[in-house]
């Protein structure tokens, strides 16, 4: 009898201690999300399959009728001030119908059905730069966590995936010297260009001042060959040559409509932050081809400091 009582007390204590992750008690999921800024699905999505938007581990579940709310532990890597960082955060997915119970999820896994009130909300213990900058609204402090509208799940360009550098010229010379050191005897004979790219090194963000807006790319020539080879279509409309001491001149290749965006948003002679990737060497023109993926007129660090001032406490 005594043994049975001890077993009962053991299970009671176990239940009271849940939910736990590696011995640490989890913060409860807020019962409803009306006080937060969430990411919702469009009305016509109701009834369709819900694809998990992240890789992670489901660490908490909460049922309400025929719907389930889950908490996913996630990790995202990004660059901040030129260094690789990791963001550990939690994603809440509210009101999943027909939830498929699973412990670990991959992006694209079907985990149930979308309901009219299905919504996503991020949270973290810190003011992580990635979450602060990529949320659609200022963070909200509720109890022990910062809550974020997970706009990063919808973005088309992840600017913090580009390594921030202090010298574009140094990167140009590094890119050229790496290509030259790996050059084989016949690499630049009878060729117009050499596709040469190492994403960890060659996807960068740098600051520049433009003295004029980009020039029209009337004759695409070998740039067109590079674009077709890399993207399967011609994506560049304009270009900018950048002064350099390198044997090959770097050329910024701007996609369609970027010139008009610059003309409406950017004042010549001021700081411009460019995000893009070294793609290839144009041997005919002796140029290094850099694909401009995006640009900002304010640094990420300045935006981060501004957004910190907008954080509010809620009850």
């Amino acid at each position: 009898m005594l043994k049975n009582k001890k077993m009962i007390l053991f299970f009671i204590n176990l239940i009271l201690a849940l939910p736990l992750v590696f011995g640490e008690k989890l913060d409860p999921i807020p019962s409803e999300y009306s006080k937060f800024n969430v990411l919702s699905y469009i009305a016509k999505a109701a009834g369709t399959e819900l694809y998990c938007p992240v890789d992670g581990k489901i660490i908490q579940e909460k049922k309400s009728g025929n719907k389930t709310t889950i908490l996913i532990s996630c990790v995202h890597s990004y660059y901040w001030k030129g260094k690789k960082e990791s963001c550990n955060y939690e994603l809440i997915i509210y009101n999943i119908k027909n939830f498929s119970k699973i412990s670990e999820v991959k992006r694209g896994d079907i985990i149930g059905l979308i309901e009219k009130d299905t919504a996503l909300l991020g949270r973290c213990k810190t003011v992580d730069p990635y979450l602060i900058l990529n949320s659609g609204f200022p963070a909200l402090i509720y109890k022990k966590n910062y809550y974020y509208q997970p706009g990063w799940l919808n973005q088309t360009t992840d600017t913090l995936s580009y390594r921030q550098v202090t010298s574009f010229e140094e990167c140009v010379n590094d890119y050229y010297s790496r290509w030259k050191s790996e050059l084989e005897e016949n690499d630049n004979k009878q060729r117009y260009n050499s596709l040469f790219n190492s994403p960890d090194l060659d996807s960068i963000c740098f600051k520049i001042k433009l003295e004029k807006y980009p020039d029209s790319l009337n004759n695409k020539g070998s740039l067109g060959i590079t674009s077709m080879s890399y993207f399967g279509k011609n994506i560049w409309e304009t270009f900018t040559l950048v002064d350099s001491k390198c044997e090959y001149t770097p050329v910024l290749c701007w996609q369609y409509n970027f010139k008009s965006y610059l003309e409406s948003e950017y004042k010549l002679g001021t700081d411009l932050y460019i995000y893009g990737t070294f793609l290839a060497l144009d041997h005919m023109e002796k140029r290094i081809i850099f694909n401009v993926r995006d640009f900002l007129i304010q640094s990420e660090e300045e935006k981060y400091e501004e957004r910190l001032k907008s954080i509010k406490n809620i009850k």
Side-chain angles (χ1 to χ4, degrees), residues 225-241:
I225 295 172
T226 300
S227 183
M228 289 297 296
S229 300
Y230 200 90
F231 301 105
K233 59 182 178 179
N234 284 315
I235 67 167
W236 297 318
E237 181 184 34
T238 55
F239 74 99
T240 300
L241 294 178

Side-chain angles (χ1 to χ4, degrees), residues 145-193:
N145 288 282
Y146 293 88
Y147 283 81
Y148 302 88
Q149 187 260 24
W152 55 87
L153 300 177
N154 261 351
Q155 65 189 4
T156 56
T157 303
D158 182 356
T159 56
L160 293 186
S161 66
Y162 295 85
R163 180 172 56 93
Q164 301 87 13
V165 300
T166 55
S167 172
F168 181 62
E169 173 73 1
E170 286 181 8
C171 292
V172 168
N173 287 304
D174 175 65
Y175 178 80
Y176 181 75
S177 63
R178 281 188 287 112
W179 167 78
K180 202 165 186 178
S181 68
E182 297 178 26
L183 180 67
E184 295 181 4
E185 185 178 351
N186 296 318
D187 272 5
N188 63 349
K189 292 181 179 179
Q190 306 301 321
R191 292 194 180 190
Y192 295 108
N193 54 32

Side-chain angles (χ1 to χ4, degrees), residues 188-201:
N188 63 349
K189 292 181 179 179
Q190 306 301 321
R191 292 194 180 190
Y192 295 108
N193 54 32
S194 294
L195 291 174
F196 179 79
N197 175 258
S198 177
D200 287 343
L201 295 173

Side-chain angles (χ1 to χ4, degrees), residues 129-148:
Y130 184 83
L131 305 182
I132 289 287
L133 289 169
N134 290 292
S135 177
F137 297 86
L140 298 172
I141 303 173
Y142 177 66
K143 294 185 177 179
K144 299 178 181 179
N145 288 282
Y146 293 88
Y147 283 81
Y148 302 88

Side-chain angles (χ1 to χ4, degrees), residues 278-296:
F278 291 103
L279 290 187
L281 297 102
D282 175 355
H283 300 303
M284 290 188 68
E285 300 290 339
K286 288 194 172 184
R287 292 176 178 176
I288 291 174
I289 300 170
F290 186 90
N291 175 53
V292 179
R293 185 66 184 84
D294 206 349
F295 69 86
L296 295 174

